[in-house]
Amino acid sequence: MTDNYDLIIIGGGPAGLSASIYGGRARLKTLVINKGTIGGMPNTTREIVNYPGYVNISGPDLMKDFKKHAESFGVECLKDEVVNVDFSQNEKIIRTKKNKEITAKAVIIACGSEPRLLNIPGEKRLRGNGVAYCATCDAEFFEGEDVVVVGSGDQAIEEGMFITKFARKVSVVVLHDEGILDCNKVSAERALNNEKIEFIWNSTIEEIMGEDNVERVRIKNLKTGSSSELNCQGVFLFVGMIPATNFLKNSGVKMDQKGYIPVNDLMETNLEGVYSAGDNRVKYLRQVVSAAGDGATAAVAAERYIEEMNAFNTNVLQSNKKVLLTFFNALNNESLEFCTQLEETNTELSESYKIVKVDMATKKSLAQQYGIEKAPSVVVLDKGQEITRLDCYGNKVNLKAQLQVQ
Amino acid sequence: MSLAQLKDATFEQIIYEDEAPCLVIFSRKTCHVCKEIVPLLEELQPKYEGKFGFYYVDVEEDKVLLQKFSLKGVPQILFFNEGVYNGKLSGPVEEEQVEEKIEEVLNA
Ligand SMILES: Cc1cc2nc3c(=O)[nH]c(=O)nc-3n(C[C@H](O)[C@H](O)[C@H](O)COP(=O)(O)OP(=O)(O)OC[C@H]3O[C@@H](n4cnc5c(N)ncnc54)[C@H](O)[C@@H]3O)c2cc1C
């Protein structure tokens, strides 16, 4: 059995939940599919101080509010992972890890991003034995020990400072020249003045070593090319994020080299009825507030698209009368005059046709679907099936003759 | 169903005296990865009812156990059979990995 929805949202972080609030409120049958804990990345954040309306709130608490809000509009949530999609038809097909197949008229991709791995020797093997990715979870295990932190973004520096509460010394390995950190200024200043933090500039790590537990790392200086070893018991890696869009590889959704999805102002991807919102799209600022904004935009755009699709179904494909699907260009006088002539002719034929006008400029995809390249063009449909096309370049007599034949 | 929690004393009993095949997840409330893995085990548990035990240790409440296995992070799933430690899985794991490991322990 397959389930059908109006709108499916892949990912239940800030972007996905915001989209679902708009979808639910617009009375679309809306499903959020999210692997793991609903709420997404903020679940890993101790405090959020820049989401409007909340001076200071923990990430999980903020996301609980998002979820409650979505549920109040009747949104359904499914805990599962999307592993495969088929966006080639009007009905989009989503397949999940638990072998569910679900369809929707429109899909919003809001799967966010995941931590990047360094893929260096020792990283996988010593995970949980000194290699860690979460200070809140694991910092305490390094009481009185030496820890290496790799990275200099907000997360690396803030987590690094948290680790100093437990560790004897924290060495932060930074790619850049002395004094340059990627994080915000407030944190940078605090970290640079923290006595327990030592910085290793112009460097990265090449290998994590140790028999059963981490014993040391090999550090490479990028300026001199030389390597050195540093003894430590823990290594925390915060080397950025990558979009979680791998499952879309063969979907036809356009992505950039890194896997981010480019969209326009409406969050539309290159595929009709498929939108992308939040951290997984190409964008300038990746934060909760901007993810929420994206979600709202995508949901409203999806709602309009679904409405148009439904209208097209009832007005055109299921019409009792034959339909003259008329493509025109509002900026072109000739095609506007043609529309008037067509209306007049139809009146003379006692309205035997239903005329549906399509503006080429705004309904590009429909034009594409019928292979229309210039305006005016008319496709004659009977019960949704194309029966012929009109020659639009003769006079009215010619037009009437064509319509009488049908 | 939630996992049965082990304390220092019950740990001794179940692992070393009963010697039943089982897994124990070492976890803590403030760890987001644990929050993903614990439900995964809870879902898997009924499938192995009577064949393989599923237990839970809160590392904040039981530091002794943590030190005993010199763990350096959570979550970690430790596997036991006949009172012997049979290896572990660390960090975010998939359901299939846990099942594979259970089979390995049972068939060893
Ligand atoms: C350490 C850290 C601190 C931060 N601090 C702040 C802060 O203070 N303020 C702020 O505004 N922002 C902060 N951010 C950024 C903020 O968390 C993100 O910008 C925001 O979460 C993006 O939301 P999203 O909905 O796009 O993606 P996410 O929050 O990543 O949510 C995506 C969801 O989709 C799910 N998913 C992924 N793939 C699939 C799939 N195939 N099938 C089903 N589900 C899937 C994921 O499990 C996840 O739940 C921080 C980020 C980090 C890493």
Side-chain angles (χ1 to χ4, degrees):
Chain A
M1 194 193 86
T2 56
D3 287 328
N4 305 300
Y5 287 83
D6 292 322
L7 177 62
I8 288 181
I9 299 162
I10 306 174
L17 288 174
S18 301
S20 79
I21 290 170
Y22 277 74
R25 181 143 192 265
R27 301 201 182 286
L28 296 176
K29 192 178 175 213
T30 304
L31 176 71
V32 176
I33 306 175
N34 186 63
K35 66 172 184 191
T37 317
I38 198 118
M41 202 136 64
N43 282 328
T44 70
T45 308
R46 271 186 299 278
E47 60 173 21
I48 290 181
V49 296
N50 51 10
Y51 190 75
Y54 296 83
V55 175
N56 186 327
I57 184 164
S58 85
D61 283 347
L62 181 62
M63 294 329 290
K64 260 182 221 143
D65 287 351
F66 272 53
K67 179 174 181 244
K68 234 193 290 166
H69 198 160
E71 283 168 348
S72 77
F73 285 122
V75 170
E76 291 174 50
C77 291
L78 174 70
K79 189 173 166 172
D80 204 341
E81 179 180 347
V82 176
V83 289
N84 194 313
V85 296
D86 180 350
F87 291 158
S88 61
Q89 310 287 322
N90 269 344
E91 280 291 307
K92 321 261 179 300
I93 306 169
I94 304 273
R95 296 190 190 89
T96 72
K97 195 165 170 189
K98 292 183 186 157
N99 284 319
K100 284 214 174 73
E101 192 172 288
I102 316 170
T103 65
K105 292 177 179 144
V107 173
I108 297 175
I109 302 163
C111 53
S113 49
E114 54 201 11
R116 184 167 80 87
L117 302 180
L118 272 186
N119 289 321
I120 54 171
E123 182 182 15
K124 263 214 184 100
R125 183 175 59 86
L126 293 168
R127 165 148 217 177
N129 295 319
V131 175
Y133 299 84
C134 166
T136 326
C137 314
D138 297 340
E140 208 187 313
F141 301 118
F142 301 92
E143 183 96 51
E145 299 184 330
D146 291 349
V147 169
V148 168
V149 167
V150 185
S152 78
D154 282 344
Q155 197 190 6
I157 299 304
E158 283 165 21
E159 300 283 81
M161 283 193 283
F162 181 78
I163 299 167
T164 60
K165 290 187 190 168
F166 305 95
R168 189 180 72 89
K169 193 181 89 188
V170 174
S171 306
V172 182
V173 179
V174 185
L175 285 176
H176 314 296
D177 284 338
E178 177 156 2
I180 300 174
L181 300 174
D182 290 329
C183 67
N184 64 74
K185 286 208 180 85
V186 181
S187 300
E189 215 163 275
R190 275 197 212 140
L192 290 165
N193 290 321
N194 188 317
E195 281 177 2
K196 278 189 168 178
I197 296 185
E198 179 192 281
F199 287 92
I200 302 174
W201 305 104
N202 296 311
S203 298
T204 184
I205 66 168
E206 293 182 307
E207 186 176 355
I208 305 169
M209 291 166 285
E211 193 98 344
D212 297 321
N213 289 301
V214 170
E215 291 163 21
R216 57 193 189 284
V217 292
R218 198 164 62 238
I219 295 175
K220 183 176 177 138
N221 185 306
L222 298 167
K223 270 231 164 112
T224 63
S226 64
S227 293
S228 59
E229 291 188 0
L230 179 68
N231 287 337
C232 62
Q233 288 73 47
V235 185
F236 283 75
L237 299 168
F238 304 110
V239 288
M241 312 292 293
I242 49 171
T245 51
N246 207 19
F247 72 99
L248 296 168
K249 229 175 11 199
N250 303 315
S251 66
V253 174
K254 211 159 106 192
M255 297 186 246
D256 73 4
Q257 259 180 347
K258 292 179 180 158
Y260 290 107
I261 303 167
V263 295
N264 60 12
D265 282 353
L266 302 184
M267 304 296 138
E268 291 171 329
T269 67
N270 62 315
L271 300 182
E272 169 129 314
V274 180
Y275 305 79
S276 168
D279 278 9
N280 58 27
R281 78 172 179 97
V282 175
K283 69 192 295 194
Y284 176 65
L285 177 70
R286 293 200 168 84
Q287 290 277 288
V288 177
V289 64
S290 56
D294 284 1
T297 305
V300 172
E303 182 202 346
R304 297 260 159 85
Y305 164 78
I306 292 168
E307 216 170 76
E308 275 173 18
M309 205 165 81
N310 289 345
F312 190 78
N313 270 332
T314 31
N315 291 337
V316 178
L317 302 182
Q318 292 159 18
S319 163
N320 290 327
K321 273 190 198 177
K322 285 179 190 164
V323 172
L324 300 176
L325 192 59
T326 309
F327 292 88
F328 74 104
N329 177 349
L331 302 175
N332 173 322
N333 255 341
E334 190 199 347
S335 77
L336 289 177
E337 270 164 31
F338 173 81
C339 288
T340 316
Q341 279 190 7
L342 190 68
E343 303 264 12
E344 284 168 8
T345 313
N346 194 33
T347 314
E348 286 164 23
L349 293 171
S350 52
E351 307 280 343
S352 39
Y353 294 89
K354 179 168 173 181
I355 297 175
V356 176
K357 285 192 278 188
V358 180
D359 185 346
M360 294 271 289
T362 55
K363 301 271 169 52
K364 286 200 189 79
S365 54
L366 202 57
Q368 217 169 24
Q369 190 181 327
Y370 285 96
I372 306 290
E373 274 157 13
K374 57 179 194 283
S377 292
V378 178
V379 179
V380 186
L381 297 167
D382 187 12
K383 312 232 155 37
Q385 298 299 317
E386 173 172 344
I387 44 177
T388 186
R389 291 184 183 207
L390 299 187
D391 168 13
C392 307
Y393 295 92
N395 52 26
K396 218 166 134 183
V397 178
N398 176 299
L399 195 59
K400 193 165 180 176
Q402 290 186 66
L403 290 177
Q404 276 169 329
V405 178
Q406 302 304 325
Chain B
M1 205 183 69
S2 58
L3 308 176
Q5 185 174 354
L6 296 184
K7 300 279 177 188
D8 193 21
T10 41
F11 190 88
E12 287 288 322
Q13 170 72 39
I14 300 246
I15 306 297
Y16 299 116
E17 288 171 33
D18 297 356
E19 298 192 345
C22 64
L23 64 81
V24 185
I25 179 161
F26 285 67
S27 167
R28 74 192 303 157
K29 292 182 196 79
T30 53
C31 153
H32 60 267
V33 182
C34 306
K35 283 188 203 152
E36 313 272 312
I37 306 300
V38 172
L40 183 154
L41 295 183
E42 285 170 352
E43 267 176 43
L44 216 51
Q45 174 170 236
K47 193 170 160 186
Y48 293 92
E49 181 96 57
K51 275 200 294 191
F52 202 86
F54 282 63
Y55 301 99
Y56 170 94
V57 167
D58 188 314
V59 297
E60 273 163 291
E61 294 171 23
D62 286 281
K63 291 231 159 62
V64 192
L65 285 174
L66 188 69
Q67 280 150 8
K68 190 184 242 155
F69 294 98
S70 64
L71 298 183
K72 282 280 187 203
V74 283
Q76 309 228 25
I77 309 174
L78 276 59
F79 294 81
F80 299 91
N81 195 8
E82 297 171 352
V84 183
Y85 168 68
N86 266 237
K88 65 177 181 177
L89 294 170
S90 304
V93 289
E94 305 277 330
E95 194 175 291
E96 293 86 54
Q97 287 169 276
V98 179
E99 294 210 69
E100 248 169 53
K101 185 78 193 164
I102 293 176
E103 292 307 325
E104 187 189 309
V105 172
L106 284 173
N107 298 327

